[in-house]
Amino acid sequence: MKLLSRPLTVTAAAAVIVPRLRVQFVLARHGYATHHGTGSNPAASKRKAVTPFNDNGYIPWNELSTSEKASRATQQTFNFGLVIVGLVLTGGISYFLYQDVFSPDSKTAYFNRAVNRIKKDPDCLALLGESKKITAHGEETRNKWRRARPIQSNLNTDAQGNQHLIMHFYVEGPLNNGVVNVHLTKRVGHSDFEYKYFFVDVKGHPRIFLENADAKSSGGESKKLKLFGVNWN
């Protein structure tokens, strides 16, 4: 009897333990799945909200909320506006530089031509000195740099529609200094400026005329040479 009772006790114990292990295993799997499923939601919910100030475009559009989509649209609209403003400013600056510096009819172009003519004129060289040492600048200012001295010029249109470009600047040479006055006119229907007068005044010396339309008109018409958009008489 003692030999038969021992196997019965082991079998009964196994019958009790096995169901308990199955229940614990099922509960453990369920608990893991529950913990794993709920653990992913806080990670997604902890994503930083997208605003117009921190949006870097990494988050896809379909993952954004309605307010975040509005924020991204606002940011992109603002950036597009900045690009448009930049293009307008660049175009305006380019147009100004062309009209005032690079255009053949710009004031800077006529100033440079006038200075070059002075450096090549024998009478001017005799009073001012060596051509390479002659410099030209605008009105005197507190700034010691010659490039910071603006050239005095005026462009206006008279009652007949004729354009008048008047320039006034200074030249300095190793021998003397001088004052230069230039007056160009563009008549109605013409595309080029013509010199009305162009002279250099050096203190203590007679005025040097490089161009004088009034004197030429009284002395008869002369053959005109057109170069760089200017009629050189």
Side-chain angles (χ1 to χ4, degrees):
M1 295 299 293
K2 290 182 179 180
L3 294 174
L4 294 173
S5 62
R6 193 169 182 179
L8 290 174
T9 304
V10 173
T11 303
V16 174
I17 292 173
V18 171
R20 288 182 178 178
L21 291 175
R22 290 179 178 177
V23 172
Q24 290 177 358
F25 177 73
V26 172
L27 292 176
R29 290 187 62 184
H30 179 71
Y32 171 77
T34 304
H35 175 73
H36 181 73
T38 56
S40 61
N41 291 333
S45 62
K46 289 181 180 179
R47 176 174 64 79
K48 193 173 182 180
V50 174
T51 67
F53 305 100
N54 66 0
D55 186 16
N56 52 20
Y58 289 158
I59 301 175
W61 178 263
N62 56 2
E63 295 182 10
L64 298 177
S65 64
T66 303
S67 59
E68 290 176 334
K69 290 180 179 179
S71 298
R72 177 169 293 182
T74 301
Q75 183 197 62
Q76 293 178 350
T77 301
F78 178 76
N79 293 339
F80 181 73
L82 288 180
V83 172
I84 295 299
V85 172
L87 292 175
V88 171
L89 291 177
T90 302
I93 293 174
S94 300
Y95 177 79
F96 172 79
L97 288 176
Y98 176 78
Q99 291 293 328
D100 199 60
V101 179
F102 300 109
S103 173
D105 287 336
S106 67
K107 300 176 184 179
T108 303
Y110 285 116
F111 167 76
N112 291 333
R113 294 169 193 162
V115 174
N116 289 334
R117 286 197 61 184
I118 292 173
K119 291 182 178 181
K120 295 177 181 179
D121 186 81
D123 295 333
C124 293
L125 295 178
L127 295 181
L128 299 176
E130 186 180 352
S131 173
K132 295 181 179 181
K133 296 182 179 180
I134 296 176
T135 59
H137 60 84
E139 296 294 329
E140 297 289 344
T141 62
R142 295 181 181 180
N143 196 322
K144 296 180 180 180
W145 292 94
R146 287 188 176 89
R147 292 183 178 180
R149 301 175 184 177
I151 305 299
Q152 182 179 351
S153 61
N154 184 26
L155 179 62
N156 56 65
T157 305
D158 60 22
Q160 288 74 33
N162 302 317
Q163 294 184 8
H164 298 264
L165 175 59
I166 301 174
M167 291 190 297
H168 175 84
F169 59 92
Y170 302 88
V171 289
E172 296 180 2
L175 300 180
N176 291 290
N177 300 332
V179 181
V180 183
N181 288 276
V182 181
H183 185 177
L184 300 105
T185 60
K186 181 191 290 186
R187 298 179 181 180
V188 178
H190 292 70
S191 58
D192 303 314
F193 277 97
E194 298 179 356
Y195 280 102
K196 182 175 179 60
Y197 60 73
F198 175 15
F199 59 82
V200 180
D201 286 329
V202 179
K203 188 175 181 179
H205 298 274
R207 173 173 291 177
I208 302 174
F209 276 96
L210 285 81
E211 295 287 347
N212 190 352
D214 295 336
K216 289 183 179 181
S217 61
S218 61
E221 292 291 334
S222 60
K223 189 176 181 180
K224 298 181 180 180
L225 174 64
K226 180 179 178 181
L227 184 63
F228 300 117
V230 180
N231 291 323
W232 306 86
N233 296 330

